[in-house]
Amino acid sequence: MVEYENLGKLNKSFFSDYESAFKATLESGWYILGNQVNEFEKNFAKYCGTAHCAGLASGLDALIIALKAFEFKKGSQVILPSNTYIATILAAIQAGLEPVLVEPDINTYNIDPEKIRAAITDKTVAIVVVHLYGKSCEMDKITQICKEHRLKLVEDVAQAHGAEFKGKRTGSFGEFGAFSFYPTKNLGALGDGGSLNTNDKDLDEKVRMLRNYGSKVKYVNEVIGYNSRLDEVQAAFLSVKLKKLDQINDHKRKLARVYLDNIKEDFIKPVEHEDYFDVYHIFNVRHPKRDQLREYLLNKEIKAEIHYPIPPHEQLAMKGILDKGHYPISDEIHKTTLSLPISYFHTVDDIYQVTEALNKF
Ligand SMILES: *Cc1c(COP(=O)(O)O)cnc(C)c1O
């Protein structure tokens, strides 16, 4: 059986380092906002090429707190991709903003800069881009649009830790890079976690207040805050894994290479371009008979997943919010996309097994 994902196997090589990290945290007697979080924040900011990083409780919280930090007028519009994971859209709604969906480029699956321009109104205050599947968006064009229209830029980097555009790491282009450390992500914890990275000292301070009951000094509350802190123990685990993040990404890129070189042209494969350093959180192919293909692979003991089966505008939760729009490109991607195994524990031989089966479909 070639599994799609197995978190035990993914983490196996880190077990003894995790045990030491856990023991050190346990014995320190300090479990919330201490040295482990400080140390991870310092190193992850450096890794991303940002001046600051604040550890948070999840990726969704990172997106909500980023949008809250700007203190936009209620009902302002925020532009988001129509084919993202639901969390990006939930964040806009939870922050009291109106989500405006923009279709992706069918080749990159990332938000189409030309279509962003068409969606800007006098109520638009921000753009949240999502570097989907581990590929950066076209950040030169997008930062230019933000400059021209004085819009804030938030990057949803939940799927793209370490990805680059023209040699610059994702999460360092916008006012905020919002990360998730959910266990399956390229930099995954052993539970929930997230962060907001920024080059703006004031925004960083704001986030640190918001994550901790709106308080800078204990029992002094300046703003309406949350409880959204990264745990010490998760930060300790993340510090172990951060040291191996490049190794994890290189391994995924090596597996992707096998797919890209061996899957025949009947399948639509991810595009490659010299401006992009892709980290393949997900390796997808598209095929008109996607559901049959998935079934066929399962019969050959290969598990594949769909990211995502239902587009956000078709979700019951979005009734009355997003269901008036038409998003044919998003619909097409959701109907035809299939994610193939590409975890850190998979071997090159596992991937050859998948390509062989695929090519016989
Ligand atoms: C995983 C993910 C999130 C949410 O992260 P959590 O840590 O699970 O809250 C947000 N956006 C995208 C694109 C994701 O893949």
Side-chain angles (χ1 to χ4, degrees):
M1 170 68 79
V2 182
E3 293 169 282
Y4 181 74
E5 184 59 282
N6 181 321
L7 292 173
K9 287 184 186 168
L10 188 166
N11 284 299
K12 189 87 192 172
S13 62
F14 311 121
F15 276 9
S16 68
D17 287 342
Y18 285 154
E19 278 163 6
S20 317
F22 175 72
K23 192 159 181 280
T25 311
L26 179 65
E27 286 172 357
S28 78
W30 194 287
Y31 307 127
I32 298 285
L33 295 184
N35 291 338
Q36 297 290 354
V37 169
N38 288 340
E39 189 64 18
F40 173 72
E41 288 175 342
K42 199 179 72 198
N43 291 325
F44 193 55
K46 193 165 157 215
Y47 181 89
C48 297
T50 57
H52 310 278
C53 165
L56 301 167
S58 74
L60 173 61
D61 277 8
L63 290 162
I64 295 171
I65 289 173
L67 291 172
K68 274 282 181 186
F70 297 118
E71 299 180 24
F72 293 131
K73 217 168 80 195
K74 203 165 172 288
S76 298
Q77 291 176 342
V78 50
I79 289 173
L80 315 149
S82 56
N83 61 323
T84 185
Y85 179 57
I86 196 78
T88 325
I89 295 162
L90 290 178
I93 295 167
Q94 308 264 22
L97 305 169
E98 182 190 335
V100 173
L101 301 190
V102 166
E103 287 258 83
D105 179 320
I106 188 70
N107 299 304
T108 63
Y109 311 123
N110 279 331
I111 194 163
D112 186 333
E114 287 317 308
K115 290 181 186 142
I116 290 177
R117 287 185 186 279
I120 294 171
T121 72
D122 53 9
K123 282 167 80 183
T124 311
V125 290
I127 303 174
V128 181
V129 297
V130 181
H131 307 298
L132 204 69
Y133 303 160
K135 178 190 283 299
S136 173
C137 298
E138 289 178 78
M139 295 316 291
D140 47 359
K141 292 183 188 165
I142 291 165
T143 48
Q144 181 59 33
I145 294 169
C146 288
K147 219 196 253 162
E148 278 172 33
H149 295 268
R150 295 168 180 275
L151 304 176
K152 302 294 183 192
L153 175 59
V154 177
E155 301 171 68
D156 179 339
V157 209
Q159 303 192 359
H161 316 70
E164 295 172 21
F165 178 75
K166 294 190 175 171
K168 192 166 144 69
R169 286 223 160 110
T170 50
S172 67
F173 291 90
E175 269 74 23
F176 283 120
F179 287 88
S180 162
F181 306 123
Y182 184 77
T184 59
K185 312 288 184 181
N186 287 30
L187 178 59
L190 303 181
D192 279 311
S195 78
L196 276 172
N197 290 44
T198 183
N199 287 314
D200 185 318
K201 189 168 178 294
D202 294 336
L203 285 178
D204 178 63
E205 266 179 29
K206 191 77 173 285
V207 169
R208 286 168 190 279
M209 267 206 284
L210 286 170
R211 76 173 173 186
N212 195 28
Y213 296 110
S215 162
K216 227 183 294 186
V217 176
K218 205 171 183 181
Y219 305 131
V220 181
N221 304 89
E222 297 180 42
V223 295
I224 304 287
Y226 304 84
N227 174 353
S228 181
R229 303 170 296 218
L230 180 64
D231 285 349
E232 281 284 284
V233 69
Q234 295 302 339
F237 295 144
L238 284 166
S239 288
V240 168
K241 214 175 210 176
L242 179 57
K243 291 196 192 93
K244 299 291 160 63
L245 178 56
D246 285 337
Q247 201 173 306
I248 292 168
N249 286 343
D250 284 347
H251 186 75
K252 286 165 85 82
R253 284 170 57 80
K254 185 170 82 181
L255 302 182
R257 189 77 262 144
V258 176
Y259 279 135
L260 289 163
D261 292 345
N262 291 283
I263 295 174
K264 60 179 186 181
E265 300 303 321
D266 304 29
F267 303 90
I268 301 171
K269 294 182 264 190
V271 291
E272 291 181 283
H273 187 280
E274 59 183 11
D275 287 345
Y276 297 80
F277 183 84
D278 303 326
V279 297
Y280 298 99
H281 170 60
I282 283 166
F283 186 97
N284 81 317
V285 290
R286 287 196 299 118
H287 193 279
K289 295 192 174 131
R290 187 269 315 275
D291 292 335
Q292 262 169 271
L293 174 61
R294 189 186 189 194
E295 206 47 45
Y296 165 89
L297 289 174
L298 195 58
N299 284 329
K300 303 219 158 196
E301 306 242 286
I302 295 163
K303 282 197 180 157
E305 294 285 342
I306 298 169
H307 299 95
Y308 297 91
I310 306 171
H313 66 274
E314 301 261 339
Q315 296 284 1
L316 187 58
M318 295 298 149
K319 217 168 144 95
I321 302 173
L322 299 178
D323 55 350
K324 286 186 285 293
H326 293 282
Y327 307 99
I329 298 175
S330 190
D331 288 334
E332 175 67 15
I333 295 168
H334 285 81
K335 264 187 240 142
T336 56
T337 192
L338 190 68
S339 309
L340 304 176
I342 190 157
S343 182
Y344 185 52
F345 72 88
H346 286 120
T347 64
V348 165
D349 283 345
D350 290 332
I351 306 308
Y352 275 116
Q353 198 182 321
V354 181
T355 58
E356 234 168 78
L358 265 182
N359 288 344
K360 285 186 197 142
F361 177 67

